[in-house]
Amino acid sequence: KFGHVGQDENIEINLNLNQSDLASIVGTTRESINKELRVLREKDIAHMVGTTIIILNMDRLERRARL
């Protein structure tokens, strides 16, 4: 598995990728990545700090991924 448990029991995954790199990997635009990260942040599911994604609620992230 990737990442480690950080402060407050959140999962931290250092991708060493910026939003443009991430968009290229998943086949979308940087704008789409930015929009989804904003939604995840607003719903207190996850947020990105630099090149690190911090998952605040894995259960909710998994449910959202199934949409």
Side-chain angles (χ1 to χ4, degrees):
K1 294 191 174 192
F2 297 96
H4 67 277
V5 177
Q7 294 179 346
D8 300 324
E9 302 299 312
N10 298 325
I11 299 169
E12 298 180 6
I13 304 169
N14 188 345
L15 297 176
N16 288 322
L17 301 170
N18 60 34
Q19 291 181 12
S20 294
D21 296 333
L22 188 55
S24 288
I25 289 170
V26 298
T28 191
T29 64
R30 185 198 57 77
E31 292 80 7
S32 293
I33 293 292
N34 185 276
K35 180 179 177 183
E36 184 60 25
L37 288 171
R38 185 178 68 247
V39 169
L40 293 174
R41 183 177 60 245
E42 289 170 354
K43 294 181 178 286
D44 291 324
I45 296 172
H47 64 271
M48 193 163 185
V49 177
T51 60
T52 301
I53 292 181
I54 301 171
I55 301 171
L56 306 171
N57 189 315
M58 182 59 84
D59 290 335
R60 289 179 61 201
L61 181 61
E62 289 173 346
R63 282 196 304 269
R64 182 159 180 85
R66 290 187 197 118
L67 293 176

